Amino acid sequence: MILAFETSCDDTCAALVGDDGTVLANVISSQEVHNRFGGVVPEIAARHHLELIDAVVAEAFARAGVGIEQVSLVAATRGPGLTGALLVGFCAGKSFAAARELPFAAIDHLEGHIAAAYLAPARFEPPFLALIASGGHTLLLDVSARGGPVEVLARTLDDAAGEAFDKGARMLGLGYPGGPELSRLAADGDPRSYDFPTGRSEDFSFAGLKTALLYKTREVDASDRQVRANLAAAYQRAIVEALLRRVLRGLERSGRTRLALGGGVAANAALRARLGELEVELFLPPPELCTDNAAMIAAAALAGGALSYPDYLGLDVYATGEGPLR
Ligand code: KG4
Ligand code: ZN
C-alpha cells in the first residue's frame, strides 16, 4: 500500500492507494484562506500546510480503515510548485518513510496529473495523448508507456489555461479560483455572442485572449449580469476551442486514438462535453482526480522509480525548471 503526499500549491492532500491502483482514501483540504486575496499567497500556503498535514494524514488512515504498518511505499510531490508549500509534504513524506526505513518515490506533479489515469477502476493504459491543463501548465503530451518517455507536443507560451480562467474571472468580478466560478456564470450566457481569439501558434497561448476580454469589458455594459454571462460563455468557448484545436492536431500527427485529460481545467464541463464528441477512446477523470490530489501522486509511484532507504534523504524539492516535463 502506498501513502502519498501532495502540497505543491494550496491544497493539503494525503492518499492511501493499494498496489493494484485502488484508492482507499483521498483526502483534500483546500485552503480557502487565499480566496480573499484573489490568488495563492505562497507563505500563507506553506504555513497552513504545516498546520493541516498531520490531521489530513490521520484522516486518510481513518477513512481507509488501515494501519500505518500496512504502508510499504511512501510518495510525495517534489515539484514543480511553490517551494515552501512543497517542502511540507515532501519532508513529511521523507520523514514517514525514513522512520520506518521504507522506500520513497519523489514524484513530478505533472507526471502525477497524467498518472491519475492509472487508478482503478479506469486503469487507462498508455499509449495515449494526455492533455494536462492546470493553473500553472498547459501541456499536450504523447505518453508511450507508464513511467516511460513522454514527448511534449505543445506547451504553454504564456498563461496556462487555468490561469486564463482565473484572470478572466477576475475581470468579470468573480472570485478565486476562477475556473468553477466563470463556468457557472457562462452557463447563463450565449457562447456565440462574442468571437474571442484562440491563438495562432501550434503551442498554447492565452495572453491575447485575456487582453481581448479586457478590451471587450470596456466596450460593453459590464454592470449588466447577462452581458457578463455572455462574455464568460464566449471566453470559455475560446479556451475550450483553443485546447481542442491543438488536441485534434496532436491526434492527427501522432496517429494516437486514445486521449486522457488531467489537471484542474479537466473538471470543466464545457471542455469535457466538447472532447466527448471526438471519436477517440477518452479518459475523463472524476473531478476530485482532476484538481490537485495525492491519489494521483501514489499512482505515479506505482510506475516505479522509488529509492531505498536512506538514498532519498538528500533529495530536495524544485519550484520549476527541473522536472522531466519542463
Ligand atoms: O491542477 P490544479 O488543481 O492545480 C495546479 O496544479 O495548478 O488546477 C487549478 C486550476 C485553477 O486555475 C482553476 O481555476 C482551474 O484549475 N479549474 C477549472 C475548473 N476547476 C478548476 N477551470 C475551469 N473549469 C473548472 N470547472
Ligand atoms: Zn496540479
Side-chain angles (χ1 to χ4, degrees):
M1 189 170 60
I2 305 170
L3 169 65
F5 296 77
E6 152 63 46
T7 62
S8 64
C9 191
D10 60 341
D11 297 308
T12 314
C13 315
L16 284 158
V17 172
D19 297 336
D20 62 351
T22 305
V23 181
L24 303 170
N26 186 24
V27 182
I28 302 165
S29 177
S30 299
Q31 302 178 3
E32 285 168 13
V33 56
H34 305 281
N35 298 7
R36 69 188 141 114
F37 300 108
V40 178
V41 184
E43 184 60 28
I44 294 179
R47 283 164 192 262
H48 276 261
H49 284 311
L50 261 183
E51 282 170 16
L52 294 167
I53 192 79
D54 284 347
V56 165
V57 173
E59 175 70 17
F61 279 104
R63 278 194 208 171
V66 298
I68 282 174
E69 65 290 346
Q70 284 166 269
V71 176
S72 54
L73 170 63
V74 182
T77 307
R78 187 178 184 192
L82 306 169
T83 305
L86 284 162
L87 275 171
V88 177
F90 199 66
C91 292
K94 282 204 294 184
S95 315
F96 188 102
R100 292 159 188 83
E101 302 193 4
L102 291 172
F104 175 79
I107 303 296
D108 183 82
H109 182 80
L110 297 165
E111 294 202 310
H113 275 303
I114 300 171
Y118 307 149
L119 291 166
R123 294 197 185 91
F124 195 76
E125 288 295 329
F128 54 66
L129 288 198
L131 174 67
I132 306 299
S134 72
H137 298 84
T138 317
L139 289 165
L140 183 65
L141 305 164
D142 191 346
V143 182
S144 52
R146 267 200 206 206
V150 173
E151 191 191 342
V152 180
L153 302 182
R155 61 173 71 246
T156 323
L157 291 180
D158 38 54
D159 293 349
E163 206 175 349
F165 270 105
D166 293 336
K167 289 180 176 171
R170 201 170 182 165
M171 283 183 236
L172 295 171
L174 303 170
Y176 176 87
E181 299 239 354
L182 191 140
S183 68
R184 220 170 292 133
L185 179 62
D188 297 333
D190 173 7
R192 308 231 163 242
S193 48
Y194 304 98
D195 205 11
F196 286 125
T198 54
R200 293 211 182 116
S201 160
E202 299 207 349
D203 283 300
F204 299 100
S205 167
F206 295 102
L209 170 64
K210 185 181 65 182
T211 310
L213 176 64
L214 179 67
Y215 287 153
K216 198 51 88 181
T217 55
R218 291 177 184 163
E219 273 172 33
V220 299
D221 177 13
S223 66
D224 184 300
R225 187 179 184 279
Q226 189 56 52
V227 171
R228 285 202 311 278
N230 288 345
L231 286 170
Y235 186 79
Q236 172 172 263
R237 178 170 73 99
I239 296 176
V240 169
E241 292 308 314
L243 295 172
L244 191 83
R245 178 128 49 85
R246 275 96 183 157
V247 165
L248 284 174
R249 193 184 294 140
L251 286 168
E252 199 179 289
R253 291 204 181 156
S254 65
R256 299 277 189 227
T257 54
R258 309 171 74 238
L259 175 69
L261 211 57
V265 178
N268 184 268
L271 176 64
R272 294 168 81 94
R274 197 74 175 87
L275 289 173
E277 294 166 8
L278 301 181
E279 284 185 11
V280 291
E281 206 183 321
L282 186 63
F283 171 68
L284 295 174
E288 70 277 11
L289 293 178
C290 292
T291 43
D292 290 347
N293 67 88
M296 70 183 196
I297 301 303
L302 281 172
L307 295 176
S308 309
Y309 173 81
D311 298 353
Y312 49 81
L313 289 178
L315 288 183
D316 207 350
V317 300
Y318 51 82
T320 185
E322 277 180 51
L325 301 174
R326 66 184 177 276

